[in-house]
Amino acid sequence: MRVSAQIDAHLPALTPAERRVAAVVADDPEAVAFGTVADVARRAGASGATVVRLAAKLGFDGFVELQAAVRQEMARRLRPASERIRRPVPGDVLDSTLAVEMANVAATLEGVDRAAFDRAIRLLTGPARLRPAGEEGAAVQSGRGRRAGGGRVLVLAGDASCAVASLFAGELSMLRPGVVLAGGSEVRVARLLADVGPSDVVVAVDLARYDRAVVDAAGRAAAAGVALVALTDSALSPLATVAAASFTATVDGAGPFDSHVGLLALANALLAGVAARLRRSATDRLDRVEAAWRSAAVLTD
């Protein structure tokens, strides 16, 4: 298991001082990989004993073993794709990819916090959470449900994750209105975020190495009181630390690039949850979309 995943798994049991050390491990791995116990303790504002205690809680036999694991993870994650591609692929490529991606999906979905998942679904469906199950459709029929889903959902993503974000935004928009893919230039993103309010939700999708523009935009939205749902790769990522609900994907790649399959699995799970919660209005909306496609004859079998 990756160091970041071990931190995520043990985070609820960590003391405040241990969390500060864990943040150094996640945010400044170089300090751990090439520093000493005293260096890490100083950066975290903690004691050396706390650093050693965290290593033990994460399942390592002391700081040296934690340091070795961080170095190995750095070598894998931070090495450019142009270098990773030069590594020989062990065994059959298809078998290797199958094993890696199945492990990514399993680790990602098994690690989802159910309370956070429910919170994210409530955020993404807006006022529907205030009505008992089954009443949402009646509200739509009477006209009160026209705003099902509440305010807008703005979907932000880094360059590498934009495909997952685009797919998520497109399919979410078929389940509820008011979904905006906040991509393009920083000028456009800033304009879209300029009038966000408490009824809106921002979904941010990004992996290390994080896109600074996405991190900054998500931080501004959170500071404005907007609920943030983060799909990222660590509970201590700069997106997760400001999110109302955060989910971490395992992103091990069989080839030179990080895998986005775990992120896609998270996105699919959220879409399934939204569809189940909105039910009748989402069904009506999908029926209208299908009717429009048929009328325009834009698809063929």
Side-chain angles (χ1 to χ4, degrees), residues 31-199:
V32 180
F34 307 110
T36 64
V37 169
D39 293 333
V40 176
R42 184 172 59 255
R43 286 176 179 268
S47 67
T50 301
V51 175
V52 175
R53 189 165 57 247
L54 173 70
K57 281 191 175 182
L58 297 181
F60 296 103
D61 186 17
F63 176 75
V64 172
E65 188 171 302
L66 169 62
Q67 187 177 53
V70 170
R71 286 177 178 172
Q72 183 177 19
E73 188 165 313
M74 280 181 60
R76 182 185 62 81
R77 290 296 308 279
L78 301 182
R79 184 182 300 137
S82 59
E83 292 185 20
R84 293 194 209 180
I85 200 170
R86 289 173 168 79
R87 293 178 301 173
V89 177
D92 181 81
V93 172
L94 289 175
D95 286 346
S96 174
T97 302
L98 175 63
V100 168
E101 298 298 8
M102 288 181 66
N104 282 339
V105 172
T108 297
L109 295 184
E110 288 170 359
V112 169
D113 180 274
R114 301 306 173 96
F117 185 79
D118 291 343
R119 189 181 314 122
I121 298 303
R122 289 196 300 271
L123 289 170
L124 293 172
T125 53
R129 69 184 182 274
L130 303 177
R131 296 190 290 272
E135 288 188 9
E136 195 252 345
V140 172
Q141 295 294 330
S142 68
R144 290 181 291 114
R146 251 183 235 112
R147 293 284 294 167
R152 297 179 303 165
V153 175
L154 277 70
V155 183
L156 293 168
D159 183 68
S161 305
C162 62
V164 173
S166 178
L167 182 65
F168 176 74
E171 294 188 346
L172 184 63
S173 71
M174 290 195 289
L175 299 175
R176 52 148 293 164
V179 180
V180 179
L181 181 61
S185 71
E186 292 185 48
V187 173
R188 179 176 183 271
V189 172
R191 174 171 57 79
L192 290 171
L193 291 175
D195 60 351
V196 292
S199 64

Side-chain angles (χ1 to χ4, degrees), residues 1-7 73 76-77 233 249-252:
M1 182 184 290
R2 296 176 299 119
V3 176
S4 55
Q6 288 168 288
I7 291 174
E73 188 165 313
R76 182 185 62 81
R77 290 296 308 279
D233 58 349
T250 299
V251 297
D252 294 333

Side-chain angles (χ1 to χ4, degrees), residues 206-279:
D206 204 10
L207 306 174
R209 297 171 285 182
Y210 307 104
D211 189 319
R212 188 174 298 280
V214 172
V215 173
D216 290 346
R220 291 197 302 272
V226 178
L228 178 71
V229 176
L231 277 62
T232 184
D233 58 349
S234 169
L236 292 172
S237 85
L239 295 177
T241 53
V242 295
S246 177
F247 307 97
T248 59
T250 299
V251 297
D252 294 333
F257 306 106
D258 288 337
S259 170
H260 287 69
V261 172
L263 278 182
L264 186 59
L266 285 173
N268 286 339
L270 289 170
L271 290 166
V274 169
R277 190 168 182 83
L278 292 181
R279 284 178 22 200

Side-chain angles (χ1 to χ4, degrees), residues 21-38:
V21 176
V24 172
V25 175
D27 298 340
D28 192 6
E30 291 90 348
V32 180
F34 307 110
T36 64
V37 169

